[in-house]
Structures are given as structure tokens and as C-alpha cells.
Amino acid sequence: MKASVRAWMGGFAAMLVLVCSHGYAQTNTTVEVTVHADRPGAIIHPEIYGQFAEQLGHGIYGGIWVGEHSATPNIRGYRKDVVEALKAIKVPVVRWPGGCFADQYDWRDGIGPRDKRPVRMNASWGGEDDNRFGTHEFMDFAELIGAKTYLSINVGTGTPREMSQWIEYITADVHSSLAQERRANGRDKPWKLDYVGIGNEMWGCGGSMRPQFYADVYRQYATFVHAPEHAPIVRIASGANADDLGWTDTAMSMAGSQIDAISLHNYTIPTGDWKHKGSATEFGEAEWMSTLQGALRMDELIARHSAVMDKYDPKKRVGLAVDEWGNWTDQDPSAGDAALYQQNSLRDALSAAITLDIFQAHADRVRMANIAQMVNVLQAMILTDQSKMVLTPTYYVFDMYKVFQGATYLPVNVQAPAYRFGNVSVPGVHATAGRDATGIVHVALVNLDPHHADTVHLMLPGIKGSDVHGHVLTAPEINAINTFDHPDRVKPAAFGGAIFKQGVVTAVLPPKSVVVLDIH
């Protein structure tokens, strides 16, 4: 027996042990996936893996910022454990301070000595904000974790003058009064400001505007985004709510020449009812299916909005920034004042994976995405409680998928049986692929069926390789979570159940799993 075959049989046997030990049903279902390396697509912008941090609940305070004198280990006031975890997944960009909060935010409240900053009501999410976390804290935080900066500008209650002065305060390398004020507040060198979002959800909490009115407002604000010549700023228009194609059409037709990117917001509500969204942990297969079905809707939304954009921008100069997305469930009953705090299960991990697959398939148009949110809010990467921290299943998907940042997208074709529950069905297996700068091909495979394993034949015409290895993320239950007492229930493990032979990789996908393969 050849060594390669023996190795494959050993890995395959190990995979079957994993499958059987978790009580999974083994089937003869076969899935064929073809990676078209001969038809390389667009570069997968790292910013697709962006994050979002809003001034609400415990997302900032206690989640990112604890202050220099906190008993929680920190780096100049930033939680050391959170900083290290975010650096590990190579967070490319962070959006702040909102969200709805942005359109009531006065940037001057968040500069100067922290003990002298004003305390303001948080009209969007309740409670108060003492502004300990402001411009300097955000810009330094992004610099600390190696991320680009994305400011959401106050259009709803602000003015173009306020925006222009905020940008000058951050970016000016001259001796203007604003630059000198920044220096007096402790920052001599200007920061790099990468993106500005001109308003947030202007059709709703940002001002209840009609698209025609907002298009004119956008043009006004965009005129006064003055950036240093050597450090241009990308201007992002406040875009549509889910499937409101008319908003995108109006914005592109009236202001497209001044738009660098336009946003899109879409949340998946397991029950479909905003008043009773469903539990993050207490759910059955019906809500498992509805959540995955909702996540898959992102493909249709992007395709339809991109088609509208193509009417005015056929060369795809304008990017699509899906700068709020994720699963939104009912707040955890034990959360207290931690607004929008919810747990995070294997269901969230799989829905995140298939959403990222969709973004990569549309890499020619999607230039940024920001999951909502980074810490302690909605579909978070990280949960904290005082000095304790736990990484969520969604965090681990971002960790596994970081190999795709900056890779060249390789189109995939998947032939897989449907996963069915009741009268609803979705394709049972999803995939994405990319070739990184070193030539390694990465393939992600997601099995949405919570009951059955699949044998995948992965065809790789034109790809030369002799070695394949990877990682798998799964758990025994669809609602499995990581807790502070049991932080490793849902965590990637080495995947040994694959062999590369004669241009084909054969692998067994466990039920309800995410597998990422690296092919050399």
C-alpha cells in the first residue's frame, strides 16, 4: 500500500471516529465541488472581514475599554485579552461610533481630559455615556489592533462644518488650531482616517429621510470631506434597508459620481418577527433552518442591489459596503443593562460562514462588510464579564476564514442534495475558494444538514498539489455555545479526513460543520 493511501486511510478513519463519537448518522450522500482555478475572480478585500463597535450596552465599556486603573489586565485602558484576540483574527477595519448612536454624537464630547468630558443621554439605546471612549481612544485602539478606521458621521443632528472639523482634527499635519488642539490632547502625529460613512440608516434612526432628500444631503457633506493628498478618504453613502432597491437607485442616479461606496444593512431574525425575534440558545430545527435560510438571502440582496448599481456604474468603481449584518435574537434575559447582549451558538457560526462565502462570491462589488457587532452586542466575536472573556463560535469562523483575506477568489460550482426540514429546503453544502499570494489554495466547505455527514469530491482542475490539511468546527448540538465556565465546547479541531489524489480531494464533512482546507 502506498504511503499516501495509508495516510489517507488513517485520516479517513480518524474522521469516522469523530463522526461516530458524536453520534452523527453516516450516509452515502456524495457532493461534488469544482474549484475553477482557470477563471480567477476579483481580490477578496480583507475589509469584508470588518467589525462594528457601537456605543451601546457593554460593547465598548467593559468590552473594549476598562481604563488604565482597572483590575482587568489592560494596555493603556484597553482590555489586553480582547486586543490579543482581535489581533489574532487580523481585524482589517472597525466602524464606530454607530449605528444609530452616531447621528446624535458630538465628537467634541469625546476629546480632552476624560474626567472633564460631558455625560450625555444615549437616546438610541438607553442609559448614559460619559464619553470616556472618544476619538483618541478609538483611533488609538484601531492602531493597536492593526485595523483601518471607519467613522460614521453625524448627519442626523450634525452639520457639514462639524464633520469637516472632526476630519481636520484627526488628519491635519499642519499648524491649524484644530491640529494644535489634537496635539495638546496628547496626539502629535495625525492619524490615518480610511473611511467616513455619511450618515447611518438615514431612512430610519438617522433622520427619517426620503432618498431624494438624502441624496442632496450626501452631495453637500461629501463636498466637505477634505483629506490630505497622500491619504485619501473613502466616502460611503448611507444605503438601503435590506431590499429597498429604490433607495439605491435614487442615491446612485443623483449622487453616484460623488459616492465611493454605498452601504447595505440586513439582519437575520430567526422568527421573522422583530417584536419576538427568538432565543439565541433555546431553539429547535425550525429556527435553525429559518436562520440559515435568512442568511442565504444575502446573495439575492447583493445581486439585486449590484444590478441597480450596474445601471450607473458598469465598471464597478463604486463599492458595496455591507456595514451591518448578522443574526439578531432577543436580548439575553439575564443581561440587565447590557443592551442587545445575546449568546452565540453553532447556528451563528454556520450562518456567518455562508454569509462570508456570499461576500467572497461578490468580491467584484463587495469591498467591505462589518458584522454587528464586535464585543458583547448582537452576533459578537467576543463576550466578556468583568475580568472573564470567552470567544464565540462566530469568532472561530472568522479565525478559520482569515486565510481568505487578500486572496484571489476562485469560482466554485457545488452539486449537492438539498437539506430539507418540513416544506423548506436549502442547498445542503456551500463552498468558497481562494488562492493566496503564496499560491496556496484555500477551500471552505459548510454542511448545513444537522443530521447527516457528506462525502465531498473536490475537483481542482489546473491546481497542482500534493498535500491537504485543514480544520473543522462543529459540535454535538445545534445550539451548542461557549460559556465562561466551558469556553471550548465549540472550537476548531484539526481535520484529518481528506486526501489529495490525482487532482481530487476527497473528504467527509460532519453534520452541521465548517471545514477549511489548505491545499499546497
Side-chain angles (χ1 to χ4, degrees):
M1 184 181 297
K2 292 184 178 180
S4 61
V5 176
R6 287 197 301 271
W8 173 77
M9 291 185 68
F12 191 79
M15 193 67 239
L16 289 179
V17 169
L18 173 66
V19 169
C20 294
S21 68
H22 285 82
Y24 301 144
Q26 180 68 22
T27 73
N28 294 322
T29 302
T30 299
V31 175
E32 292 189 357
V33 178
T34 303
V35 176
H36 296 284
D38 57 334
R39 303 205 308 260
I43 297 297
I44 299 168
H45 289 258
E47 290 82 0
I48 284 174
Y49 292 85
Q51 303 288 323
F52 174 31
E54 186 169 2
Q55 306 273 105
L56 72 91
H58 294 178
I60 300 290
Y61 302 114
I64 294 171
W65 179 260
V66 292
E68 298 95 325
H69 305 298
S70 172
T72 301
N74 65 86
I75 304 170
R76 304 193 310 276
Y78 306 100
R79 292 186 65 119
K80 187 173 185 292
D81 51 4
V82 169
V83 166
E84 291 175 347
L86 296 174
K87 289 175 70 174
I89 59 172
K90 300 182 178 179
V91 172
V93 61
V94 181
R95 178 177 181 242
W96 173 86
C100 293
F101 180 87
D103 282 288
Q104 59 175 302
Y105 183 66
D106 183 341
W107 69 272
R108 283 199 161 275
D109 289 347
I111 62 172
R114 292 190 196 100
D115 60 353
K116 296 182 179 179
R117 296 178 187 177
V119 177
R120 304 294 188 194
M121 290 180 56
N122 188 331
S124 294
W125 304 111
E128 297 175 337
D129 192 320
D130 62 11
N131 285 293
R132 286 172 294 156
F133 193 94
T135 298
H136 286 250
E137 289 75 22
F138 170 68
M139 299 299 290
D140 286 347
F141 169 70
E143 202 168 67
L144 185 60
I145 66 172
K148 292 182 178 180
T149 53
Y150 177 6
L151 288 186
S152 187
I153 299 297
N154 182 348
V155 172
T157 63
T159 66
R161 180 183 180 87
E162 291 170 4
M163 176 201 68
S164 180
Q165 290 183 342
W166 194 10
I167 293 171
E168 182 181 339
Y169 180 90
I170 290 169
T171 65
D173 192 18
V174 292
H175 295 283
S176 70
S177 296
L178 287 165
Q180 294 292 64
E181 185 177 8
R182 183 196 68 235
R183 294 184 180 101
N185 286 332
R187 174 74 181 198
D188 179 50
K189 181 182 177 182
W191 290 286
K192 175 67 172 74
L193 177 56
D194 299 286
Y195 303 90
V196 295
I198 298 179
N200 167 78
E201 296 188 357
M202 303 311 296
W203 36 265
C205 65
S208 300
M209 297 180 185
R210 295 173 301 151
Q212 296 87 348
F213 181 82
Y214 172 68
D216 281 338
V217 169
Y218 174 87
R219 289 162 61 101
Q220 179 189 22
Y221 272 75
T223 302
F224 298 102
V225 176
H226 299 305
E229 290 186 6
H230 64 281
I233 297 172
V234 175
R235 301 165 301 179
I236 301 178
S238 176
N241 178 20
D243 58 1
D244 185 356
L245 302 180
W247 185 281
T248 301
D249 193 295
T250 300
M252 289 296 296
S253 66
M254 294 182 62
S257 63
Q258 291 175 270
I259 294 174
D260 300 319
I262 187 168
S263 71
L264 172 65
H265 290 183
N266 185 64
Y267 288 96
T268 296
I269 310 300
T271 64
D273 181 354
W274 278 92
K275 294 182 179 180
H276 304 284
K277 304 176 189 70
S279 169
T281 57
E282 302 293 328
F283 59 87
E285 193 170 350
E287 287 186 12
W288 165 272
M289 170 63 92
S290 65
T291 303
L292 298 176
Q293 190 179 32
L296 290 170
R297 184 168 175 256
M298 184 66 76
D299 185 50
E300 175 193 352
L301 290 176
I302 293 173
R304 294 173 68 195
H305 283 283
S306 188
V308 172
M309 296 170 72
D310 285 345
K311 289 167 45 181
Y312 308 99
D313 177 39
K315 295 183 178 180
K316 300 185 188 297
R317 178 191 63 82
V318 179
L320 186 63
V322 189
D323 57 16
E324 287 190 32
W325 68 275
N327 295 336
W328 194 329
T329 64
D330 292 332
Q331 181 170 312
D332 191 305
S334 65
D337 65 345
L340 304 191
Y341 180 93
Q342 62 190 53
Q343 248 293 355
N344 194 295
S345 73
L346 182 66
R347 174 179 67 169
D348 298 294
L350 265 67
S351 64
I354 58 179
T355 303
L356 293 170
D357 292 352
I358 292 166
F359 292 154
Q360 295 190 171
H362 292 278
D364 60 340
R365 182 66 85 176
V366 178
R367 312 280 167 74
M368 183 196 292
N370 306 79
I371 190 168
Q373 292 185 13
M374 180 183 283
V375 187
N376 288 334
V377 176
L378 300 178
Q379 192 175 344
M381 303 289 107
I382 297 168
L383 303 176
T384 67
D385 181 13
Q386 301 297 323
S387 62
K388 295 180 288 187
M389 182 194 81
V390 66
L391 305 177
T392 69
T394 298
Y395 174 93
Y396 286 118
V397 167
F398 274 68
D399 189 36
M400 295 168 70
Y401 273 54
K402 68 187 178 186
V403 294
F404 291 108
Q405 292 190 24
T408 300
Y409 177 71
L410 302 178
V412 295
N413 179 262
V414 181
Q415 297 182 17
Y419 157 51
R420 301 181 185 278
F421 181 78
N423 296 324
V424 182
S425 68
V426 295
V429 172
H430 291 257
T432 190
R435 190 197 301 270
D436 69 22
T438 69
I440 298 174
V441 173
H442 307 282
V443 181
L445 302 164
V446 186
N447 183 1
L448 301 187
D449 191 323
H451 306 294
H452 303 111
D454 285 315
T455 299
V456 174
H457 297 308
L458 180 60
M459 272 69 78
L460 302 161
I463 296 175
K464 295 180 180 180
S466 58
D467 181 50
V468 58
H469 63 273
H471 289 84
V472 58
L473 183 71
T474 187
E477 302 88 19
I478 58 176
N479 62 345
I481 61 173
N482 294 332
T483 66
F484 299 110
D485 294 328
H486 301 283
D488 298 325
R489 282 177 173 161
V490 189
K491 188 174 183 179
F495 181 77
I499 180 176
F500 193 146
K501 186 177 180 181
Q502 296 180 342
V504 177
V505 171
T506 301
V508 175
L509 299 185
K512 55 187 180 304
S513 68
V514 181
V515 171
V516 175
L517 301 175
D518 307 317
I519 301 166
H520 301 258

